[in-house]
Amino acid sequence: MSDRYRRGIDIAEQLANDKLAHFVKSGVAEVAPDFARMVIEFAFGDIYARDALDLRSRELIAIAVLAASGNAGPQLRVHVESAESVGISKAEIVEILMQIALYAGFPTALNALADCHDLLTDDNCLAGACG
Amino acid sequence: MSDRYRRGIDIAEQLANDKLAHFVKSGVAEVAPDFARMVIEFAFGDIYARDALDLRSRELIAIAVLAASGNAGPQLRVHVESAESVGISKAEIVEILMQIALYAGFPTALNALADCHDLLTDDNCLAGACG
Amino acid sequence: MSDRYRRGIDIAEQLANDKLAHFVKSGVAEVAPDFARMVIEFAFGDIYARDALDLRSRELIAIAVLAASGNAGPQLRVHVESAESVGISKAEIVEILMQIALYAGFPTALNALADCHDLLTDDNCLAGACG
Amino acid sequence: MSDRYRRGIDIAEQLANDKLAHFVKSGVAEVAPDFARMVIEFAFGDIYARDALDLRSRELIAIAVLAASGNAGPQLRVHVESAESVGISKAEIVEILMQIALYAGFPTALNALADCHDLLTDDNCLAGACG
Amino acid sequence: MSDRYRRGIDIAEQLANDKLAHFVKSGVAEVAPDFARMVIEFAFGDIYARDALDLRSRELIAIAVLAASGNAGPQLRVHVESAESVGISKAEIVEILMQIALYAGFPTALNALADCHDLLTDDNCLAGACG
Amino acid sequence: MSDRYRRGIDIAEQLANDKLAHFVKSGVAEVAPDFARMVIEFAFGDIYARDALDLRSRELIAIAVLAASGNAGPQLRVHVESAESVGISKAEIVEILMQIALYAGFPTALNALADCHDLLTDDNCLAGACG
């Protein structure tokens, strides 16, 4: 187990109560175990681990870019679920999804709001019970 | 209720037998009520309300761009359902979806045709019963 | 020379005072002559030649989808130049480019307006003198 | 039935044990029969039929580009199912989907791996029994 | 002049030493004056003006999403130039552009870094002298 | 210097007569030196270095996906220049760019052919003299 992997798992678990780590390890790990490891190493062990930007900023960016892409629903949900752990409120997530309408259009923003509807209304979801 | 909102609702309802208005007011209005209002105000109250382009042309454009984007299925369906109200026939919708293959590729066109399959074959759907 | 090619060239030239035909035949024809022919045959000889949608509607769609894609500047300009020949005014083109902001965001709409700035202000350009 | 169509059907069936041909003929053929024919004629009869690139290379390209687009799931699955018939192994498909992360990001690669999870683990699927 | 416009101009000028306001008013205002006004009203007067997210967070999001889109170079540059005014350092901008590689791929991140190269190296640029 | 970096540089230089290495080290290395290193390490040291797919296949994929993305011109040119070193002929590159029209539309394919026009006609370019 590389240092990059260990550092990546630490950050992924800190962010998401095991959510992120489970996500990349689950289905993907079965068909592409090296890739599941690389995602942890590179995304969390290399990029997120850098001090020059705080985790709250990194999660704002992740949510905004994933929502704006229009086809990263599963990843968007994982990051929305982990947002509370770095101090991003539900009200702020709604603002992020509204703002991306400026850059990615109204349908993309509306679909992101619909995709995350339960996470943004149900308190239990942010506590990890909606998966 | 602003003039922009009232004008937007009028046009949305004229287009779609309450379909469009319901769409943006439904799930989204619960988590982002201001945004649901803004979509009505800006999309229909500001843009669609302008006289310089007729509603038939605006719906041709909406259907084409939403289909070509490849990830606006719910919005594409709403506009396909409202097309009849501005004089666009099912045959013309099929032509639009064929033409976007030129710009957005065959998979995008095929997926748009599949997404709207029931709306393009079932007469009742265009009358509003398939949602 | 196939019937599809002859029919395609006829439509391309009718649309654009030789602009479209020249475009696809020029640089591309040197490195991919078969492809230049296929574009004429398929885009104009097969799709545009179909009666079920009039040429004005097809050009509205072409301009809207090309602008919304955000990276088809050369093709957008060719279709904007040919719009007048099917009865689309400059004012209508501006409306199309404004409307796509709803679906593709403000930057894409602003960049399309900037890309076509000269075509939308200079009368000579629409007459074919700006290339 | 044109020569282009016959040649296209031959290649589509050779690739995919009737999978590709069935795909484009199914739902789409009901609402847009001319388009179903055109896809066969152009994609397989015109492009795939060209000798200058072998079918294994063409399928590598199809799988990579469809996966990278992020919203062509049904087409991606069809081409993954046909890959074996041109000598592409499951292990190579996993490599393709990993490599597109470089160009299209991790979420797109992860979603492609998840979309094709059953095809990449179940031997029967590659033999055509999973649809 | 509407309240929305006045509020929008205030925020745009606060962000960017007149940069943003000039940008949307310039070329675009000539061919689409109503649209230039709408962008100010909606983007800055409606969305940015909302208190629920601070301007630093909004600019992080703007830079990340514009860079990830891959074809909003002019808008990306404007927001990078205005970042300092809301407390985002050059080092943080580099981190944002690195992080988007995770979601949008390496070429998009590399091209964003290249597009903003002068703004990220030259101190005078951030003070507004590079346009 | 990590093993991943050394392995990455080896592959990048083998592919491209120093072209790829120069590319990522140049402008980007000035503002984001860690990222320039990471690209070499991850793209070439981790992904390209894997034996399960040969370099010819990897370059087919790179060229196809970069061309289909529509906004990775500089990277597309670098990979087209390196194609010869892994046994991909100019005629095959033209076929790849034609085939992506199926998935990404005609404008994207035409623009890719135009972007690489000099590389596909001038023998010296493939030998590295066109930059």
Side-chain angles (χ1 to χ4, degrees), chain A residues 95 99, chain E residues 47 50 53-62:
Chain A
E95 290 297 319
Q99 187 181 338
Chain E
I47 299 288
R50 295 168 64 83
L53 202 62
D54 60 286
L55 283 181
R56 180 190 142 89
S57 296
R58 292 208 183 275
E59 286 302 277
L60 286 174
I61 292 165

Side-chain angles (χ1 to χ4, degrees), chain E residues 3-47:
Chain E
D3 280 357
R4 297 169 66 225
Y5 187 73
R6 202 180 340 261
R7 191 169 58 230
I9 284 287
D10 280 355
I11 294 176
E13 293 185 345
Q14 166 186 349
L15 275 176
N17 306 317
D18 297 285
K19 278 274 161 189
L20 283 174
H22 283 161
F23 172 70
V24 292
K25 280 190 289 187
S26 65
V28 168
E30 236 177 276
V31 290
D34 291 352
F35 192 61
R37 176 181 49 75
M38 284 176 183
V39 174
I40 295 286
E41 286 178 344
F42 187 70
F44 299 105
D46 288 349
I47 299 288

Side-chain angles (χ1 to χ4, degrees), chain F:
Chain F
M1 191 187 284
S2 71
D3 280 356
R4 297 170 66 227
Y5 187 74
R6 203 180 339 262
R7 191 169 60 230
I9 285 287
D10 281 354
I11 293 177
E13 292 185 344
Q14 166 185 350
L15 274 176
N17 306 315
D18 297 286
K19 279 273 160 189
L20 283 174
H22 284 160
F23 173 70
V24 293
K25 281 190 291 187
S26 64
V28 168
E30 237 177 275
V31 290
D34 291 352
F35 192 61
R37 176 181 48 75
M38 284 177 183
V39 174
I40 294 287
E41 286 177 345
F42 187 71
F44 299 105
D46 287 349
I47 299 288
Y48 267 66
R50 294 168 65 83
D51 287 336
L53 202 61
D54 61 285
L55 283 181
R56 178 190 145 88
S57 296
R58 293 209 182 274
E59 285 301 278
L60 286 174
I61 291 165
I63 290 169
V65 175
L66 291 167
S69 86
N71 45 35
Q75 289 78 23
L76 175 61
R77 285 179 61 86
V78 167
H79 284 277
V80 165
E81 287 189 87
S82 71
E84 199 177 37
S85 71
V86 293
I88 300 174
S89 70
K90 287 183 192 180
E92 286 176 315
I93 293 169
V94 171
E95 290 296 319
I96 299 169
L97 300 184
M98 289 171 67
Q99 188 181 338
I100 62 142
L102 301 178
Y103 319 117
F106 288 110
T108 301
L110 291 166
N111 291 337
L113 284 161
D115 276 0
C116 299
H117 181 270
D118 58 327
L119 302 179
L120 296 170
T121 49
D122 181 355
D123 281 354
N124 288 327
C125 287
L126 282 177
C130 299

Side-chain angles (χ1 to χ4, degrees), chain E residues 26-110:
Chain E
S26 65
V28 168
E30 236 177 276
V31 290
D34 291 352
F35 192 61
R37 176 181 49 75
M38 284 176 183
V39 174
I40 295 286
E41 286 178 344
F42 187 70
F44 299 105
D46 288 349
I47 299 288
Y48 267 66
R50 295 168 64 83
D51 287 337
L53 202 62
D54 60 286
L55 283 181
R56 180 190 142 89
S57 296
R58 292 208 183 275
E59 286 302 277
L60 286 174
I61 292 165
I63 290 168
V65 175
L66 290 167
S69 87
N71 45 35
Q75 289 77 24
L76 175 60
R77 286 179 60 86
V78 167
H79 284 277
V80 165
E81 286 188 89
S82 71
E84 200 177 35
S85 70
V86 293
I88 301 173
S89 70
K90 288 184 192 179
E92 286 176 314
I93 293 169
V94 170
E95 291 297 319
I96 300 169
L97 301 184
M98 288 171 67
Q99 187 180 339
I100 63 143
L102 302 178
Y103 319 117
F106 288 110
T108 301
L110 290 166

